[in-house]
Amino acid sequence: MSAKEIVEQLGGRTKLADDSIELQEFQPSDTAAVSAVLSVRQNTRPKPFTFEVPPQTVLVAYRIRGSSILTSRKRGASCLIQPGDVYALPSGIYDVVFSKRRSETLFFNADRGAVLGLNLFLGDTQTEIPIRAIDIQADPIGAKIITISDTTAKHSIFKFSSLMLDLLDKLTEPADLSLTRYGVRNLDKIFTKLCRQVCETPSFDWTTEAAANHCGYSVYHFSRTFRAKSGIGFHEFVTKVRAIQAVDQICLAGAVSPKILELAGLSCEQTASKAIQRELGLNLNDIRRFLPPQIDAIAV
């Protein structure tokens, strides 16, 4: 089964009348042993559904735009997928809900036994969905993605295989505190330190004055400089960190709890739902309904 046939499950059977779903397939000119497909979705509302990755098949994906929550029934694990995330989907049944936003994902498909060491890496005993955040603009992977996306040129199986292996290799690296996942990149040392501090202590009262003092700036110059360097406002960044970390912990715990929200710096469910809706296009009710594996989804 090709990547396009698998990814079609993510649209054809569950497509709403006013949803827009486009698939663009990329294949090597010499053999289709590895293929790729770009999935572009414009969701009118969050809608959970189910898809299946066939036995002896593995999908490796790179999220370009949009957020979703993905649950592996086999592993009993859920995770938030964000722009910049690379993740692997070994064979099995998955439940997914996309936010009420445009989303773009590049999928690679290959035979599980064709990639050396893949069976060990994606073994049945693994309890989590492999996922890592990367900075596609700074990483050489970005140039490779642009190359294979050029349908006017011929590309060999080696280019596709090399790119898929690079993505898999990212999944073997130790997880770190990537600011890319929170919408910022290429900051200088002072602002990087501040952003990492926010990520480590999101429950702190991160006022503009506290952040400015942390960096040795006046409040006025801090706000202007932070936006100029990061592309977003400081309070927007803090809210994004809190929303993402709250959803990460909810996925890990499998439930919403006041303690999780408090540790993420969100005072109550109403505040949390507004922040998560604003940043991710989902709310707590969407997430709460989706997390149980017994979700009422279309069978595949």
Side-chain angles (χ1 to χ4, degrees):
M1 183 178 288
S2 71
K4 185 176 181 180
E5 290 173 318
I6 296 173
V7 176
E8 279 177 344
Q9 296 182 72
L10 279 72
R13 294 188 180 184
T14 59
K15 183 176 179 180
L16 296 174
D18 49 357
D19 280 348
S20 173
I21 303 172
E22 300 176 8
L23 303 176
Q24 183 179 8
E25 191 168 23
F26 308 106
Q27 289 187 326
S29 58
D30 41 13
T31 176
V34 178
S35 59
V37 62
L38 176 66
S39 171
V40 180
R41 305 177 56 91
Q42 184 64 54
N43 301 308
T44 57
R45 60 185 175 90
K47 181 176 177 62
F49 55 89
T50 298
F51 70 99
E52 182 178 13
V53 178
Q56 302 306 315
T57 299
V58 64
L59 284 185
V60 179
Y62 172 70
R63 176 60 52 80
I64 301 170
R65 182 182 301 182
S67 303
S68 65
I69 295 178
L70 180 71
T71 297
S72 168
R73 293 190 180 184
K74 185 176 183 179
R75 286 167 165 74
S78 298
C79 64
L80 170 66
I81 307 295
Q82 279 279 91
D85 285 346
V86 175
Y87 55 104
L89 301 177
S91 59
I93 297 177
Y94 296 86
D95 298 315
V96 64
V97 60
F98 282 90
S99 64
K100 184 182 175 181
R101 287 181 185 171
R102 178 183 175 91
S103 63
E104 299 179 24
T105 312
L106 183 64
F107 292 92
F108 286 84
N109 169 61
D111 182 81
R112 183 166 175 162
V115 183
L116 184 64
L118 191 59
N119 285 334
L120 179 62
F121 175 62
L122 299 175
D124 292 337
T125 58
Q126 188 163 315
T127 59
E128 297 180 355
I129 299 171
I131 179 173
R132 293 290 184 275
I134 64 172
D135 185 346
I136 198 69
Q137 294 185 4
D139 198 292
I141 285 177
K144 290 188 176 183
I145 289 178
I146 293 174
T147 297
I148 69 150
S149 301
D150 180 7
T151 56
T152 63
K154 292 184 177 181
H155 307 296
S156 72
I157 183 65
F158 298 108
K159 287 185 179 179
F160 281 77
S161 299
S162 174
L163 179 49
M164 185 172 185
L165 288 172
D166 283 349
L167 292 172
L168 285 168
D169 187 51
K170 290 295 179 183
L171 296 176
T172 67
E173 296 179 354
D176 62 358
L177 185 60
S178 175
L179 296 179
T180 303
R181 197 155 191 262
Y182 301 108
V184 299
R185 55 170 62 90
N186 300 328
L187 299 178
D188 59 26
K189 185 176 180 179
I190 293 176
F191 282 93
T192 295
K193 184 177 179 181
L194 170 67
C195 289
R196 291 192 182 279
Q197 190 68 37
V198 172
C199 294
E200 291 170 4
T201 56
S203 61
F204 180 76
D205 184 16
W206 285 107
T207 63
T208 304
E209 183 177 3
N213 290 337
H214 191 281
C215 297
Y217 279 77
S218 68
V219 172
Y220 174 74
H221 284 96
F222 169 78
S223 296
R224 294 187 61 185
T225 306
F226 186 89
R227 181 176 290 278
K229 289 180 178 290
S230 67
I232 62 175
F234 178 69
H235 287 294
E236 181 184 354
F237 169 72
V238 172
T239 301
K240 186 181 291 289
V241 169
R242 289 171 172 169
I244 292 173
Q245 290 199 8
V247 175
D248 280 342
Q249 291 304 308
I250 289 169
C251 287
L252 187 63
V256 179
S257 74
K259 185 65 173 179
I260 286 175
L261 302 182
E262 180 183 344
L263 290 174
L266 301 170
S267 58
C268 62
E269 284 205 12
Q270 184 178 11
T271 300
S273 196
K274 287 181 178 179
I276 293 169
Q277 175 72 54
R278 182 168 58 250
E279 298 301 327
L280 306 178
L282 298 164
N283 60 43
L284 283 181
N285 286 332
D286 297 325
I287 298 169
R288 186 182 281 110
R289 286 195 300 265
F290 178 73
L291 284 177
Q294 296 81 14
I295 183 172
D296 183 17
I298 297 176
V300 294

